[in-house]
Amino acid sequence: MKLDLFPLHTVLFPGKLLPLHIFEPRYLNMIGECVTNNSVFGVALIADGKEVGEAAIPHDTGTTARIKTIEKQPDGPLDIVVVGESRFQIDAIISYEPHVIADVEFLPLPDNDSEAVRISAAEVRKRFDRLVTVMIEVQSGYMPVVELPSDIVQLAYLVAAEIPSDLLIAQRLLEARTLQSLLDMERVLLDERIEQATRLLRDKIHARRN
């Protein structure tokens, strides 16, 4: 499948909303075509290059983005909100001009309903809830509410999007080839983030006492 790409310094996960400010003519045209054709474009983390100017080289795995809202500014730029839909793998770059166009294949995450996966999902849910609880205390009561879905694939992607991570770690989560491997990585990351948040909380309590 041929897909228009928008390489960015961000990782988009299926189900995640992403606001974008579009101002370059090449991307204004691309978005216009998506609106006209009710089609998607691909978001992929930049491996080499910048968001503005010469077309950047993307990582091989990305996520299709569907436009949810669009608002045109008086001077021409667009403010849009997209939602991630499907993972894809780049098989070949077809063109870099005027923007990156690639031949891709979709990479659905197998919906494994095994007992091991259900146990792993429960552990991830428990750890994520624990992280939110600790962070609420660290931030003195403020923390955006994140409702975790019952569907395990949706749960896994939402947790992947919400775990505080650098871009390369987020990209590794996106590249997970099985639901079990994604949940396993998330469990390890959540344990690390809980430990870090707990240290912050201890330091905060200690500072108050002194």
Side-chain angles (χ1 to χ4, degrees):
M1 171 184 171
K2 186 171 75 171
L3 185 66
D4 296 323
L5 297 188
F6 197 162
L8 293 169
H9 286 300
T10 193
V11 177
L12 177 63
F13 288 93
K16 184 66 176 178
L17 295 175
L18 175 67
L20 294 171
H21 180 67
I22 311 296
F23 59 91
E24 289 189 88
R26 56 181 173 170
Y27 291 124
L28 289 171
N29 291 335
M30 185 186 79
I31 295 302
E33 291 179 3
C34 288
V35 171
T36 299
N37 300 323
N38 190 28
S39 58
V40 298
F41 63 94
V43 171
L45 177 66
I46 291 174
D48 186 38
K50 300 178 180 180
E51 291 183 349
V52 179
E54 185 177 348
I57 299 174
H59 281 265
D60 289 341
T61 304
T63 303
T64 60
R66 186 170 297 278
I67 299 168
K68 297 284 288 183
T69 65
I70 184 166
E71 181 179 352
K72 186 173 183 179
Q73 301 301 315
D75 53 349
L78 298 173
D79 289 321
I80 67 174
V81 176
V82 303
V83 61
E85 285 199 341
S86 303
R87 284 195 315 165
F88 62 81
Q89 173 81 35
I90 297 175
D91 290 332
I93 300 294
I94 298 172
S95 174
Y96 283 99
E97 297 295 339
H99 56 266
V100 181
I101 302 173
D103 184 24
V104 307
E105 60 178 313
F106 290 119
L107 287 176
L109 195 61
D111 188 358
N112 185 337
D113 193 32
S114 69
E115 181 67 18
V117 163
R118 289 195 295 272
I119 291 173
S120 294
E123 292 176 349
V124 165
R125 182 185 296 274
K126 180 176 66 177
R127 284 166 169 78
F128 186 83
D129 288 342
R130 174 59 182 161
L131 177 60
V132 170
T133 298
V134 176
M135 289 305 300
I136 287 174
E137 297 182 56
V138 170
Q139 299 181 22
S140 301
Y142 175 76
M143 187 75 185
V145 175
V146 179
E147 294 188 7
L148 297 178
S150 57
D151 180 87
I152 296 179
V153 174
Q154 294 176 12
L155 165 73
Y157 277 137
L158 180 57
V159 169
E162 296 295 335
I163 296 176
S165 303
D166 65 36
L167 289 175
L168 291 180
I169 290 176
Q171 182 65 25
R172 288 206 302 273
L173 293 173
L174 182 66
E175 292 172 355
R177 288 299 185 260
T178 67
L179 185 53
Q180 184 67 65
S181 63
L182 177 55
L183 293 168
D184 288 344
M185 285 190 285
E186 289 175 346
R187 192 169 61 249
V188 172
L189 278 173
L190 284 166
D191 283 340
E192 293 174 356
R193 298 300 179 264
I194 290 169
E195 183 179 349
Q196 293 165 359
T198 301
R199 285 201 302 268
L200 287 174
L201 182 58
R202 284 199 299 263
D203 291 345
K204 183 177 181 179
I205 293 172
H206 179 74
R208 283 177 177 173
R209 291 174 177 171
N210 294 280

